[in-house]
Every structure is written in structure tokens, then in C-alpha cells.
Coordinates of all heavy atoms in Angstrom, one line a residue:
M1 N 98.4 107.7 107.9 CA 96.9 107.5 108.1 C 96.1 107.6 106.8 O 96.4 108.5 106.0 CB 96.5 108.7 109.1 CG 97.2 108.6 110.5 SD 96.7 107.2 111.5 CE 95.1 107.7 112.0
V2 N 95.1 106.9 106.7 CA 94.2 106.8 105.6 C 92.8 106.7 106.1 O 92.5 105.7 106.9 CB 94.6 105.7 104.6 CG1 93.5 105.7 103.5 CG2 96.0 105.9 104.0
L3 N 91.9 107.7 105.8 CA 90.5 107.6 106.2 C 90.4 107.5 107.7 O 89.5 106.9 108.3 CB 89.8 106.5 105.5 CG 89.7 106.6 104.0 CD1 89.0 105.4 103.5 CD2 89.0 107.9 103.5
G4 N 91.5 108.0 108.4 CA 91.4 108.0 109.9 C 92.0 106.7 110.5 O 92.0 106.6 111.7
H5 N 92.6 105.8 109.7 CA 93.1 104.5 110.1 C 94.6 104.5 109.9 O 95.1 105.0 108.9 CB 92.4 103.3 109.3 CG 91.0 103.2 109.5 ND1 90.4 102.6 110.7 CD2 89.9 103.6 108.7 CE1 89.1 102.6 110.4 NE2 88.8 103.2 109.3
M6 N 95.2 103.8 110.8 CA 96.7 103.5 110.6 C 96.9 102.7 109.4 O 96.2 101.7 109.2 CB 97.3 102.9 111.8 CG 98.7 102.5 111.7 SD 99.9 103.9 111.5 CE 99.8 104.6 113.0
C7 N 97.8 103.0 108.5 CA 98.0 102.3 107.4 C 99.4 101.7 107.2 O 99.6 100.4 107.3 CB 97.8 103.2 106.1 SG 98.1 102.4 104.5
C8 N 100.4 102.5 107.4 CA 101.8 102.0 107.5 C 102.7 103.1 108.0 O 102.2 104.3 108.2 CB 102.3 101.6 106.1 SG 102.1 102.8 104.8
G9 N 103.9 102.8 108.4 CA 104.9 103.8 108.8 C 106.2 103.2 109.2 O 106.4 102.0 108.9
I10 N 107.0 104.0 109.7 CA 108.4 103.6 110.0 C 108.5 103.5 111.5 O 108.1 104.4 112.3 CB 109.4 104.5 109.5 CG1 109.3 104.5 107.9 CG2 110.9 104.0 109.8 CD1 109.5 103.2 107.2
V11 N 109.0 102.3 112.1 CA 109.2 102.2 113.4 C 110.8 101.7 113.5 O 111.1 100.7 113.0 CB 108.4 101.1 114.1 CG1 108.8 100.9 115.5 CG2 107.0 101.5 114.0
D12 N 111.6 102.6 114.1 CA 113.0 102.5 114.1 C 113.4 102.4 112.5 O 113.3 103.4 111.9 CB 113.4 101.2 114.8 CG 113.2 101.4 116.3 OD1 113.3 102.5 116.9 OD2 112.9 100.3 116.9
E13 N 113.9 101.3 112.1 CA 114.3 101.2 110.7 C 113.4 100.3 109.9 O 113.7 100.1 108.7 CB 115.8 100.7 110.5 CG 116.8 101.7 111.1 CD 118.2 101.3 110.9 OE1 118.4 100.2 110.4 OE2 119.1 102.0 111.3
S14 N 112.4 99.8 110.4 CA 111.5 98.8 109.7 C 110.2 99.6 109.3 O 109.7 100.5 110.0 CB 111.2 97.7 110.7 OG 112.3 97.0 111.0
L15 N 109.7 99.0 108.2 CA 108.3 99.4 107.8 C 107.3 98.7 108.7 O 107.3 97.5 108.8 CB 108.1 99.1 106.4 CG 106.7 99.4 105.8 CD1 106.4 100.8 105.7 CD2 106.5 98.7 104.4
M16 N 106.3 99.4 109.2 CA 105.2 98.8 109.9 C 104.1 98.9 108.9 O 103.7 99.9 108.4 CB 104.8 99.7 111.2 CG 103.6 99.2 111.9 SD 102.0 99.6 111.4 CE 102.1 101.3 111.3
A17 N 103.6 97.6 108.7 CA 102.6 97.5 107.6 C 101.3 96.8 108.2 O 101.3 95.8 108.7 CB 103.1 96.6 106.5
R18 N 100.2 97.5 107.8 CA 98.9 97.0 108.3 C 98.3 96.2 107.1 O 97.9 96.8 106.1 CB 98.0 98.1 108.7 CG 96.6 97.6 109.2 CD 95.8 98.7 109.8 NE 94.6 98.1 110.5 CZ 93.7 98.9 111.0 NH1 93.7 100.3 110.9 NH2 92.7 98.4 111.6
V19 N 98.3 95.0 107.2 CA 97.9 94.1 106.1 C 96.5 93.5 106.4 O 95.9 92.9 105.5 CB 99.0 93.0 105.7 CG1 100.2 93.6 105.2 CG2 99.2 92.1 106.9
G20 N 96.0 93.5 107.6 CA 94.8 92.9 107.9 C 95.0 91.5 108.4 O 95.9 90.8 108.1
S21 N 94.0 91.1 109.3 CA 94.1 89.7 109.9 C 94.0 88.6 108.8 O 94.5 87.5 109.0 CB 93.2 89.6 111.0 OG 91.8 89.7 110.5
D22 N 93.2 88.9 107.7 CA 93.0 87.8 106.7 C 94.3 87.6 106.0 O 94.4 86.4 105.5 CB 91.9 88.2 105.8 CG 90.6 88.1 106.4 OD1 90.3 87.5 107.5 OD2 89.6 88.7 105.9
Q23 N 95.2 88.5 105.9 CA 96.4 88.4 105.0 C 97.7 88.3 105.9 O 98.7 88.3 105.5 CB 96.5 89.6 104.0 CG 95.3 89.6 103.0 CD 95.6 90.6 102.0 OE1 96.5 90.7 101.3 NE2 94.6 91.5 101.9
Y24 N 97.5 88.3 107.2 CA 98.6 88.4 108.2 C 99.5 87.2 108.0 O 100.7 87.3 107.8 CB 98.0 88.4 109.5 CG 98.9 88.3 110.8 CD1 99.7 89.4 111.0 CD2 99.0 87.1 111.5 CE1 100.6 89.3 112.1 CE2 99.9 87.1 112.6 CZ 100.7 88.2 112.8 OH 101.6 88.1 113.9
L25 N 99.0 85.9 107.9 CA 99.8 84.8 107.8 C 100.5 84.8 106.4 O 101.7 84.4 106.4 CB 99.0 83.5 108.0 CG 98.5 83.3 109.4 CD1 97.7 82.0 109.5 CD2 99.6 83.2 110.4
E26 N 99.8 85.2 105.4 CA 100.4 85.2 104.1 C 101.7 86.2 104.1 O 102.7 86.0 103.6 CB 99.5 85.8 103.0 CG 99.9 85.9 101.6 CD 98.9 86.4 100.7 OE1 97.7 86.5 101.1 OE2 99.3 86.9 99.6
G27 N 101.5 87.3 104.7 CA 102.5 88.3 104.8 C 103.6 87.9 105.7 O 104.8 88.1 105.2
L28 N 103.5 87.0 106.7 CA 104.6 86.6 107.5 C 105.4 85.6 106.7 O 106.5 85.3 107.1 CB 104.1 85.9 108.7 CG 103.5 86.8 109.8 CD1 102.9 86.0 111.0 CD2 104.6 87.7 110.2
K29 N 105.0 84.9 105.6 CA 105.7 84.0 104.9 C 106.7 84.7 103.9 O 107.5 84.0 103.3 CB 104.8 83.1 104.0 CG 103.9 82.2 104.9 CD 103.0 81.4 104.0 CE 102.0 80.6 104.8 NZ 101.0 79.9 104.1
L30 N 106.6 86.0 103.7 CA 107.4 86.7 102.8 C 108.8 87.1 103.4 O 108.9 87.2 104.6 CB 106.6 88.0 102.4 CG 105.4 87.8 101.6 CD1 104.7 89.2 101.5 CD2 105.6 87.1 100.3
P31 N 109.8 87.2 102.5 CA 111.1 87.5 102.9 C 111.2 88.9 103.7 O 110.4 89.7 103.4 CB 112.0 87.6 101.8 CG 111.2 87.1 100.6 CD 109.7 87.1 101.0
Y32 N 112.0 88.9 104.7 CA 112.3 90.2 105.5 C 111.1 90.6 106.3 O 111.0 91.7 106.9 CB 112.7 91.2 104.6 CG 113.8 90.9 103.7 CD1 113.5 90.9 102.3 CD2 115.1 90.7 104.1 CE1 114.6 90.5 101.4 CE2 116.1 90.3 103.2 CZ 115.7 90.2 101.9 OH 116.8 89.9 101.0
V33 N 110.1 89.7 106.5 CA 108.9 90.0 107.4 C 108.9 89.3 108.7 O 109.4 88.2 108.8 CB 107.6 89.8 106.5 CG1 106.4 89.9 107.4 CG2 107.5 90.4 105.3
R34 N 108.4 90.0 109.7 CA 108.3 89.4 111.0 C 107.2 90.0 111.8 O 106.5 91.0 111.3 CB 109.5 89.6 111.9 CG 109.9 91.1 112.0 CD 111.4 91.3 112.6 NE 111.9 92.6 112.4 CZ 111.7 93.7 113.3 NH1 110.9 93.5 114.4 NH2 112.1 94.8 113.0
E35 N 106.7 89.4 112.8 CA 105.5 89.8 113.6 C 105.8 91.1 114.1 O 106.9 91.5 114.6 CB 105.3 88.8 114.7 CG 104.8 87.5 114.4 CD 104.6 86.5 115.5 OE1 105.3 86.7 116.5 OE2 103.7 85.7 115.4
M36 N 104.8 92.0 114.2 CA 104.9 93.2 114.8 C 104.5 92.9 116.3 O 103.3 92.6 116.6 CB 103.9 94.3 114.2 CG 104.0 95.6 114.9 SD 102.9 96.8 114.2 CE 103.1 98.1 115.3
D37 N 105.5 93.1 117.2 CA 105.3 92.9 118.6 C 105.6 94.1 119.4 O 106.2 94.1 120.4 CB 106.1 91.6 119.0 CG 107.7 91.9 118.7 OD1 108.0 93.0 118.1 OD2 108.5 91.1 119.1
F38 N 105.1 95.2 118.9 CA 105.4 96.5 119.6 C 105.0 96.5 121.1 O 105.5 97.2 121.9 CB 104.6 97.6 118.7 CG 104.8 99.0 119.1 CD1 106.0 99.7 118.8 CD2 103.9 99.7 120.0 CE1 106.2 100.9 119.2 CE2 104.1 101.0 120.4 CZ 105.2 101.6 119.9
T39 N 103.9 95.8 121.4 CA 103.4 95.8 122.8 C 103.9 94.6 123.5 O 103.5 94.4 124.7 CB 101.8 95.7 122.7 OG1 101.5 94.5 122.1 CG2 101.1 96.9 122.0
G40 N 104.8 93.9 123.0 CA 105.3 92.7 123.7 C 104.7 91.4 123.3 O 105.2 90.3 123.5
K41 N 103.6 91.5 122.5 CA 103.0 90.3 121.9 C 102.6 90.7 120.5 O 102.3 91.9 120.2 CB 101.8 89.8 122.8 CG 100.6 90.8 122.9 CD 99.5 90.2 123.8 CE 98.4 91.0 123.8 NZ 97.3 90.4 124.6
P42 N 102.5 89.7 119.6 CA 102.1 90.0 118.2 C 100.8 90.7 118.1 O 99.8 90.3 118.7 CB 102.1 88.7 117.5 CG 102.8 87.7 118.5 CD 102.7 88.3 119.9
L43 N 100.8 91.7 117.2 CA 99.5 92.3 116.8 C 99.0 91.7 115.5 O 99.6 92.1 114.5 CB 99.8 93.9 116.8 CG 100.2 94.6 118.0 CD1 100.7 95.9 117.7 CD2 99.1 94.5 119.0
K44 N 98.0 91.0 115.5 CA 97.5 90.3 114.4 C 97.0 91.3 113.4 O 96.2 92.3 113.7 CB 96.4 89.4 114.7 CG 96.1 88.4 113.5 CD 95.2 87.2 114.1 CE 95.0 86.3 112.8 NZ 94.1 85.2 113.1
G45 N 97.5 91.2 112.2 CA 97.1 92.1 111.1 C 98.1 93.2 110.9 O 98.0 94.0 109.9
M46 N 99.2 93.4 111.7 CA 100.2 94.3 111.6 C 101.6 93.5 111.5 O 101.8 92.5 112.3 CB 100.3 95.3 112.8 CG 99.0 95.8 113.1 SD 98.6 97.2 112.0 CE 99.5 98.5 112.8
I47 N 102.4 93.9 110.6 CA 103.8 93.2 110.4 C 104.9 94.3 110.3 O 104.6 95.4 110.0 CB 103.8 92.2 109.2 CG1 103.4 92.9 108.0 CG2 102.9 91.0 109.6 CD1 103.5 92.1 106.7
Y48 N 106.0 93.8 110.6 CA 107.3 94.7 110.4 C 108.0 94.1 109.1 O 108.1 92.9 108.9 CB 108.3 94.5 111.4 CG 107.9 95.3 112.7 CD1 108.1 94.7 114.0 CD2 107.6 96.6 112.7 CE1 107.9 95.4 115.1 CE2 107.3 97.3 113.8 CZ 107.5 96.7 115.1 OH 107.2 97.5 116.2
V49 N 108.4 95.0 108.2 CA 109.2 94.6 107.1 C 110.6 95.2 107.3 O 110.7 96.4 107.4 CB 108.5 95.1 105.8 CG1 109.5 94.7 104.6 CG2 107.2 94.6 105.7
D50 N 111.6 94.4 107.4 CA 113.0 94.8 107.6 C 113.4 95.8 106.4 O 112.9 95.6 105.4 CB 113.9 93.6 107.8 CG 113.6 92.9 109.2 OD1 113.1 93.6 110.1 OD2 113.9 91.7 109.2
P51 N 114.5 96.6 106.7 CA 114.9 97.4 105.7 C 115.2 96.8 104.3 O 114.9 97.3 103.3 CB 116.1 98.1 106.3 CG 115.9 98.1 107.7 CD 115.2 96.8 108.0
D52 N 115.8 95.6 104.3 CA 116.2 94.9 103.1 C 114.9 94.6 102.2 O 114.9 94.4 101.0 CB 116.9 93.7 103.4 CG 118.4 93.9 103.8 OD1 118.9 95.0 103.5 OD2 119.0 93.0 104.4
G53 N 113.7 94.5 102.9 CA 112.5 94.2 102.3 C 111.8 95.4 101.5 O 110.9 95.2 100.7
V54 N 112.4 96.6 101.8 CA 111.9 97.8 101.1 C 113.0 98.7 100.6 O 112.9 99.9 100.4 CB 111.0 98.6 102.1 CG1 109.7 97.9 102.5 CG2 111.7 99.0 103.3
S55 N 114.1 98.0 100.3 CA 115.2 98.8 99.8 C 115.1 99.3 98.4 O 115.8 100.3 98.0 CB 116.6 97.9 99.9 OG 116.4 96.7 99.0
E56 N 114.3 98.7 97.6 CA 114.1 99.3 96.2 C 112.7 100.0 96.3 O 111.7 99.5 96.9 CB 113.9 98.0 95.3 CG 115.2 97.2 95.1 CD 116.3 97.9 94.5 OE1 116.1 98.8 93.7 OE2 117.5 97.8 95.0
D57 N 112.6 101.0 95.5 CA 111.4 101.8 95.4 C 110.1 101.0 95.1 O 109.1 101.1 95.6 CB 111.5 102.9 94.4 CG 112.5 104.0 94.8 OD1 112.8 104.1 96.0 OD2 112.9 104.8 93.9
E58 N 110.3 100.0 94.2 CA 109.3 99.1 93.8 C 108.7 98.3 94.9 O 107.5 98.1 95.1 CB 109.6 98.3 92.6 CG 108.5 97.4 92.1 CD 109.0 96.5 90.9 OE1 110.1 96.6 90.4 OE2 108.0 95.7 90.5
D59 N 109.6 97.9 95.8 CA 109.2 97.0 97.0 C 108.4 97.8 97.9 O 107.4 97.4 98.4 CB 110.5 96.4 97.7 CG 111.4 95.5 96.8 OD1 110.8 94.8 96.0 OD2 112.6 95.5 96.9
L60 N 108.9 99.0 98.2 CA 108.2 99.9 99.1 C 106.8 100.2 98.6 O 105.8 100.2 99.3 CB 108.9 101.2 99.3 CG 108.3 102.3 100.3 CD1 107.9 101.6 101.7 CD2 109.1 103.5 100.4
Q61 N 106.8 100.5 97.3 CA 105.4 100.9 96.7 C 104.5 99.6 96.7 O 103.3 99.9 97.1 CB 105.7 101.3 95.2 CG 104.4 101.6 94.4 CD 104.6 102.0 93.1 OE1 105.7 102.3 92.7 NE2 103.5 102.1 92.3
N62 N 105.0 98.4 96.5 CA 104.1 97.3 96.7 C 103.6 97.1 98.1 O 102.4 96.8 98.2 CB 104.9 96.0 96.2 CG 105.2 96.0 94.8 OD1 104.4 96.6 93.9 ND2 106.1 95.2 94.4
W63 N 104.4 97.3 99.1 CA 104.0 97.3 100.5 C 102.9 98.4 100.7 O 101.8 98.0 101.3 CB 105.1 97.3 101.4 CG 105.8 96.1 101.6 CD1 107.0 95.8 101.2 CD2 105.3 94.9 102.2 NE1 107.3 94.5 101.5 CE2 106.3 93.9 102.1 CE3 104.1 94.6 102.9 CZ2 106.1 92.6 102.7 CZ3 103.9 93.4 103.4 CH2 104.9 92.4 103.3
V64 N 103.2 99.5 100.4 CA 102.2 100.6 100.6 C 100.9 100.4 99.9 O 99.8 100.6 100.5 CB 102.8 102.0 100.2 CG1 101.7 103.1 100.3 CG2 104.0 102.4 101.1
E65 N 100.9 99.8 98.7 CA 99.7 99.6 98.0 C 98.9 98.5 98.7 O 97.7 98.6 98.7 CB 100.0 99.1 96.5 CG 100.4 100.4 95.7 CD 100.9 100.0 94.4 OE1 100.8 98.8 94.0 OE2 101.3 100.9 93.6
W66 N 99.6 97.5 99.2 CA 99.0 96.3 99.9 C 98.3 96.9 101.1 O 97.1 96.6 101.4 CB 100.0 95.3 100.3 CG 99.4 94.0 100.8 CD1 98.0 93.7 100.9 CD2 100.1 92.9 101.3 NE1 97.9 92.4 101.4 CE2 99.1 91.9 101.7 CE3 101.4 92.6 101.5 CZ2 99.5 90.6 102.2 CZ3 101.8 91.4 102.0 CH2 100.8 90.5 102.4
C67 N 98.9 97.8 101.8 CA 98.3 98.4 103.1 C 97.1 99.3 102.7 O 96.1 99.3 103.4 CB 99.4 99.2 103.8 SG 100.7 98.2 104.5
M68 N 97.3 100.1 101.7 CA 96.2 100.9 101.2 C 95.0 100.2 100.8 O 93.8 100.5 101.2 CB 96.7 101.8 100.1 CG 97.7 102.9 100.4 SD 97.1 104.3 101.2 CE 96.1 105.0 100.0
A69 N 95.1 99.0 100.2 CA 94.1 98.2 99.7 C 93.3 97.7 100.9 O 92.1 97.6 100.9 CB 94.5 97.0 98.8
F70 N 94.0 97.3 101.9 CA 93.3 96.8 103.1 C 92.5 97.9 103.8 O 91.4 97.9 104.1 CB 94.3 96.2 104.2 CG 93.6 96.0 105.5 CD1 92.7 94.9 105.7 CD2 93.9 96.7 106.6 CE1 92.0 94.7 106.8 CE2 93.3 96.5 107.8 CZ 92.4 95.5 107.9
V71 N 93.2 99.1 104.1 CA 92.6 100.2 104.9 C 91.5 100.9 104.2 O 90.5 101.2 104.8 CB 93.8 101.3 105.2 CG1 93.2 102.4 105.8 CG2 94.7 100.7 106.1
K72 N 91.5 100.9 102.8 CA 90.4 101.4 102.1 C 89.1 100.6 102.2 O 88.1 101.2 101.9 CB 90.8 101.6 100.6 CG 91.7 102.8 100.4 CD 92.1 103.0 98.9 CE 92.9 104.1 98.7 NZ 93.2 104.4 97.2
K73 N 89.2 99.4 102.6 CA 88.0 98.6 102.8 C 87.4 98.9 104.2 O 86.2 98.4 104.5 CB 88.4 97.0 102.7 CG 88.8 96.6 101.4 CD 89.3 95.2 101.5 CE 89.9 94.8 100.2 NZ 90.3 93.4 100.2
L74 N 88.1 99.5 105.1 CA 87.5 99.8 106.4 C 86.6 101.0 106.3 O 86.8 102.0 105.5 CB 88.7 100.1 107.4 CG 89.7 99.0 107.6 CD1 90.9 99.5 108.5 CD2 89.0 97.8 108.2
P75 N 85.6 101.1 107.3 CA 84.8 102.3 107.3 C 85.5 103.5 107.8 O 86.4 103.3 108.6 CB 83.7 101.9 108.3 CG 84.2 100.8 109.1 CD 85.3 100.1 108.2
P76 N 85.3 104.7 107.1 CA 86.0 105.9 107.6 C 85.6 106.2 109.1 O 84.6 105.9 109.6 CB 85.5 107.0 106.7 CG 84.4 106.5 105.9 CD 84.3 105.0 106.1
K77 N 86.7 106.8 109.7 CA 86.5 107.2 111.1 C 86.1 108.6 111.1 O 86.3 109.4 110.4 CB 87.8 107.0 111.9 CG 88.1 105.6 112.3 CD 89.3 105.4 113.2 CE 89.4 104.1 113.7 NZ 90.5 104.0 114.7

């Protein structure tokens, strides 16, 4: 959580990343990424990154920074 907003986390073995609706399609084009369908249908703005996509510290850091950049633009709750 950042400023009261969901930012990123782990669901099973995948990273759940909040990238925002404007960057959603861009994120889906990246390796090891798939739609977040936690509710049975895709949640626009949220994606899953499979474990291979965050296996290196630098990869995980890049994802967290991307999520943080989006969430910091949102008004605090």
C-alpha cells in the first residue's frame, strides 16, 4: 500500500502490479506478463508478472518502481 492505494503484492507466486490503465496494454506486451483476472475477468490497470519476470533483484525493483510511479500520481486516501 502506498498513500492508501494498492501498489503491488504477491498473489500465489506471481507479482501483482498496478501499472494503471494508460500503461496496461504496454505492460501486457512484456515477457512473463499476463492479465490480472483475480475476479474472473481482467482488471484493467492491474497485471500479473510470473516468477521468471522478477527472478532478478533488478527486475523486481523495476516493477516496484513502475507501480510506485503510477500510485504516487493518485490522490491520497
Side-chain angles (χ1 to χ4, degrees):
M1 299 291 288
V2 175
L3 301 172
H5 297 281
M6 176 63 70
C7 180
C8 56
I10 301 297
V11 177
D12 295 323
E13 294 185 358
S14 297
L15 174 70
M16 181 277 306
R18 185 174 188 184
V19 297
S21 58
D22 290 345
Q23 297 184 58
Y24 177 72
L25 293 177
E26 178 184 344
L28 287 176
K29 293 177 185 176
L30 298 172
Y32 310 110
V33 174
R34 57 191 163 88
E35 293 177 325
M36 182 179 171
D37 56 357
F38 185 78
T39 63
K41 63 181 184 176
L43 297 171
K44 193 168 183 177
M46 309 280 279
I47 55 178
Y48 284 135
V49 183
D50 293 331
D52 287 340
V54 292
S55 61
E56 300 294 324
D57 289 345
E58 182 178 356
D59 296 330
L60 177 58
Q61 181 176 344
N62 288 337
W63 279 109
V64 171
E65 288 175 2
W66 191 4
C67 296
M68 293 282 293
F70 169 71
V71 172
K72 285 183 176 181
K73 293 178 186 175
L74 299 174
K77 285 190 170 182

